[in-house]
Amino acid sequence: MKQATRVAQGEKQLVTASALEKNIRNALPYFKREGGEKITRRGLRESDIDAAKSRVLSAVASRRTAKNYLADVRKMLTWFYDSEYGAGFQRPTGFATVFNVRQATRTDVDIYSAAQLRELLCGTKERSGV
């Protein structure tokens, strides 16, 4: 039983690692400057991350997917800056907050007039508590 559990956990880690890698690979093309100039690790600025976030949010159909992409890029950069590879590199200002993606707000909500609401509420049963 312990061996089966270890195998299952190992497979889960492989799947998680491949999903993380895929999300990072899908997000990295959005991290470029105007004119297609590549961003170096030493030259990464908060404005670069903010622009990339904006491009991801406008290009990717699902906000949840965009949020996953950005969270995984943040994990990768956090690992880099905390590792010996990142020694001598400075994190961009606002690094902790610039990757945050706010919840999506729906803009296709129907707004009822007072007359429509009155008609709707008058049609409800007393049991509904309205």
Side-chain angles (χ1 to χ4, degrees):
M1 182 66 171
K2 286 183 182 179
Q3 181 64 28
T5 303
R6 265 190 246 127
V7 170
Q9 287 173 342
E11 288 174 358
K12 181 179 175 185
Q13 287 173 345
L14 284 175
V15 169
T16 302
S18 67
L20 176 75
E21 184 181 337
K22 180 182 173 193
N23 284 345
I24 291 170
R25 200 175 325 111
N26 288 336
L28 286 179
Y30 298 103
F31 284 81
K32 60 183 180 247
R33 294 207 175 106
E34 293 300 321
E37 178 190 348
K38 282 184 146 183
I39 300 171
T40 63
R41 285 171 278 191
R42 190 174 299 282
L44 185 64
R45 298 184 301 250
E46 179 181 0
S47 60
D48 296 325
I49 298 170
D50 206 30
K53 178 171 73 171
S54 179
R55 285 192 285 274
V56 170
L57 287 169
S58 65
V60 177
S62 164
R63 229 175 145 82
R64 181 179 182 152
T65 302
K67 192 173 184 174
N68 290 343
Y69 284 3
L70 292 169
D72 288 345
V73 170
R74 180 181 178 178
K75 287 177 195 173
M76 177 193 71
L77 289 172
T78 299
W79 169 84
F80 171 77
Y81 288 120
D82 291 344
S83 72
E84 62 186 44
Y85 301 109
F89 291 96
Q90 287 280 337
R91 289 178 202 230
T93 57
F95 182 81
T97 57
V98 75
F99 283 98
N100 293 342
V101 176
R102 294 186 332 172
Q103 290 292 72
T105 48
R106 293 189 57 168
T107 56
D108 60 342
V109 177
D110 293 329
I111 299 174
Y112 296 107
S113 67
Q116 289 171 317
L117 286 173
R118 188 177 308 108
E119 183 181 331
L120 181 68
L121 292 174
C122 288
T124 59
K125 294 181 182 176
E126 196 174 312
R127 262 181 68 186
S128 63
V130 179

